[in-house]
Amino acid sequence: MSGQVSGGVVQARDIGSVTIGAVPPPPVRIPRQLPAMPPGFVNRTTELALLDRLLEGGPAIAVVSGLKGVGKSAVSRRWAHQVHERFSDGQLYADFGALRHRGGTEVSDVLGGFLRAFGVHEEWIPAELPERAAMFRSMTADLRLLVLLDDAEHAAEVTPLFPASAASAVVVTSHRQLGELLVAGARPVRIAPLQDEEGVRLLAGMLGEDRVAAERERVSELVRLCGGLPIALRVAGARLVQRPTWTVDRLVGELEDAERRLDQLMTEGRAIVEAVFDSAYTGLPEQAARLYRLLGTLPGPGFSPGVARAVLDGDPEQALDLLLDASLVEELEGDTYRFHDLVRLHAARCARRVDPPEEREAALRRVAEWYLRQVAAADAAMGPRLRLADHRERLPVAGRPFATPGAALDWLEKERANVLALLRAAAALEWDELVWQLAEALWPLYHARKHYADWIETNRLGVAAALRCGDRAVEARMRNQVARAQLELGETDQARAELVRAHQAAREAGEPRMEAVVLESLGQVALARDLPDDANAHFAAALAIHEGLGNPRGVGMQSYHLGLAHSRAGRYEAAISAFERALALMDEVGDELSQGKIHLVLGEVHRELGHHPQALRSARTAADIMRERRIPAKETRALELLADLADDQESAEAYVRQALAVCLTSGNLPKAEELRARLRC
């Protein structure tokens, strides 16, 4: 031996040929790991096109998120198959859900699998995660790769798997939003449940077109009961495939029982849909899990952070963020959230299993009190009027949310379905004080926006609550509010019968303010029956009560109504005098809304008398006030008056178009068609 040698040396006497063994170089491989194309895939063209736009021209990362079972994997796999030719150096795939199901795996193991897929020999693969990730980046730096990572739970388990190539793309699916990836520049793609037609197409692919066509309406109802959730639709479809003698109507009948719906969505004895939701729920921390459960017990289609705060009786922000991140709730516009229908059933079921009845009822009571404070604040923001409920202790806290009457009315409109559902629940529990106070405070919404079915139901519940309380004044108030809805619907006989009972209740209660309110409504019924003199007598009696009480607003309101009676009788000068007295009093008490109403009818009377400048001034004032107050019906009427008073055809048409836009925005389609006909003339 010559030269410098390190380590042990064995000297042999005679050495023949020497063969040195080495690990062979890795073969060149192109991995094709995508799972098979999802069967029965329908539509999703919008989501597929969005993935195309987001991931074209890489490097790009998309996070496809949504409720478990909504079809995230199907969309991602479908897109991957459509574009696999763009990624000529291969497609890599890892299903984290399957790996977790088998007992979990290290991200390092996934990386090892990716490296082996490129032909890297086991002996060359580093032991530690950072070195493996570095090798993967080095190997993929110049490749055109697609990496599909399914059912990820956390950003940390996928980021080491991102290739370094500018020509690569990564799609991560998760029931979480994976905010860390979004902050780092990943693009979000939200997958929503299927629409009706899409759901019907999915079922047609399973059941056949003829079977679906034979019961088309019931198939649509089946899609609705499954909430458009593909996994639920597939389970329902599988039950019908396994039972060819069943009609769709039979399965719909079983699913209509909300308490048992999750139990019916089973196949081969396994509650597949419920298990999907269980997997998301069991990963929640306790506070988020409690919020999830108790929110699921609430009536109404949605909820706000304020409701969540009332449910927890504390700050819900972190818990709510966790529910959002887990895609168990969906965030809508306007700081509003909602459950998927099936998720709500699951949350309520979890609550029944975990939370005692008294705790669930206490949470509902806190939410009911929160809504009463908010509705009372919105009512107060609309301006002065007679209220039997005393909300002074509530208003200092609740009065801040609404800067203007229009904002208050818009909030009431947005929360209308939630409040009605809550009021029904409160009535069932006989929380009578809360029921009638909510019903009274909802008057501005119903009077302005004309939701007649809600209006009557709410105040009927209020009547029942008043009868249980034995409060005759409240009974008079509730019956009066029912009658006013009936009157506007043209049901004058029913309205008058309700008001006779209301008048008797007010008199027996010894409550002159309520008696005056009912007399006013009786006068309105007389006007509707074209009996202006009878109306005049009722309004004059109400006016006398308010004068005796020293109530300037009441005097002003009855002066306004007397003006209406005079106008109906053709006594226009007397009407103007009454309206002007009413305006002065409403200005004195700061009631802008009533001023707007008075200006509207005053303008119409001035038009009848040919007082063009006065009519124009009142009509403009009325239109401005009603627009600011978000009262579309009266804004439309004021704009029509302005069109009548316009000096030329072009100006008149401009006002009619404004009125048409108001009607279309507010959903008053019959009036909109009437205005279109006016424009065609």
Side-chain angles (χ1 to χ4, degrees), residues 40 200-209 211-212 230 233-241:
V200 170
R201 285 179 56 197
L202 187 153
L203 289 170
M206 299 180 71
L207 307 177
E209 296 287 350
R211 194 172 178 187
V212 166
L233 287 169
R234 291 191 184 282
V235 170
R239 290 193 67 190
L240 291 169
V241 168

Side-chain angles (χ1 to χ4, degrees), residues 237-514:
R239 290 193 67 190
L240 291 169
V241 168
Q242 293 161 359
R243 297 165 176 80
T245 61
W246 278 29
T247 62
V248 176
D249 184 64
R250 175 172 174 175
L251 180 57
V252 166
E254 293 190 0
L255 294 179
E256 282 177 334
D257 182 354
E259 296 292 327
R260 300 179 60 241
R261 190 173 305 159
L262 290 174
D263 297 328
Q264 297 299 329
L265 292 171
M266 299 178 67
T267 186
E268 297 181 357
R270 293 183 298 135
I272 293 177
V273 176
E274 185 170 14
V276 164
F277 302 146
D278 279 341
S279 67
Y281 165 69
T282 54
L284 295 173
E286 175 49 35
Q287 188 184 42
R290 180 170 177 263
L291 179 62
Y292 172 73
R293 296 191 306 268
L294 293 177
L295 283 173
T297 66
L298 299 182
F303 61 92
S304 66
V307 169
R309 186 175 297 106
V311 165
L312 286 182
D313 201 17
D315 184 6
E317 185 174 352
Q318 185 177 10
L320 194 53
D321 283 346
L322 288 168
L323 297 185
L324 277 172
D325 186 54
S327 295
L328 289 170
V329 299
E330 178 186 4
E331 186 172 13
L332 309 177
E333 292 182 5
D335 211 20
T336 302
Y337 303 83
R338 71 178 177 194
F339 281 108
H340 183 279
D341 289 346
L342 294 179
V343 177
R344 180 190 296 277
L345 294 177
H346 178 263
R349 174 171 288 188
C350 291
R352 289 192 294 272
R353 290 171 178 165
V354 176
D355 303 299
E358 57 271 17
E359 185 170 346
R360 302 198 301 269
E361 185 172 316
L364 179 62
R365 182 74 195 206
R366 290 193 298 272
V367 171
E369 293 288 352
W370 182 86
Y371 265 116
L372 179 56
R373 288 194 298 272
Q374 295 296 106
V375 173
D379 179 24
M382 299 301 295
R385 70 182 183 93
L386 171 63
R387 299 176 178 88
L388 296 182
D390 184 357
H391 297 297
R392 283 176 295 183
E393 292 185 3
R394 296 184 178 97
L395 293 183
V397 174
R400 290 195 293 270
F402 309 111
T404 65
L409 197 55
D410 286 346
W411 182 85
L412 288 170
E413 181 71 42
K414 186 184 78 168
E415 292 287 345
R416 177 169 65 96
N418 290 321
V419 176
L420 180 57
L422 185 80
L423 198 145
R424 289 169 178 158
L429 291 165
E430 296 190 359
W431 294 344
D432 294 327
E433 290 286 327
L434 189 145
V435 168
W436 76 256
Q437 289 182 16
L438 265 175
E440 181 184 52
L442 286 166
W443 167 261
L445 169 66
Y446 296 145
H447 190 247
R449 299 291 173 87
K450 312 304 182 187
H451 302 297
Y452 292 113
D454 292 6
W455 184 345
I456 291 174
E457 181 185 356
T458 294
N459 289 284
R460 287 278 185 218
L461 293 173
V463 170
L467 291 173
R468 285 192 295 268
C469 291
D471 192 322
R472 299 288 272 159
V474 171
E475 180 191 344
R477 163 63 90 194
M478 297 293 100
R479 291 191 185 280
N480 182 77
Q481 293 188 176
V482 170
R484 292 296 291 268
Q486 292 170 328
L487 175 60
E488 292 197 16
L489 289 170
E491 300 170 356
T492 54
D493 290 343
Q494 297 94 318
R496 191 175 188 285
E498 197 72 58
L499 289 170
V500 168
R501 290 191 286 270
H503 189 235
Q504 181 180 353
R507 290 178 67 87
E508 290 179 5
E511 176 51 82
R513 298 177 304 165
M514 274 312 307

Side-chain angles (χ1 to χ4, degrees), residues 529-549:
R529 290 178 159 187
D530 201 22
L531 300 170
D533 291 336
D534 288 355
N536 191 85
H538 288 305
F539 296 142
L543 176 64
I545 291 174
H546 286 298
E547 286 177 334
L549 294 171

Side-chain angles (χ1 to χ4, degrees), residues 649 652-658 660 672-681:
Q649 185 66 23
E653 288 183 359
Y655 283 123
V656 174
R657 287 194 179 90
Q658 286 183 52
L660 175 60
E673 189 54 42
E674 181 184 321
L675 292 168
R676 286 194 182 101
R678 180 171 177 173
L679 286 170
R680 288 193 293 268
C681 291

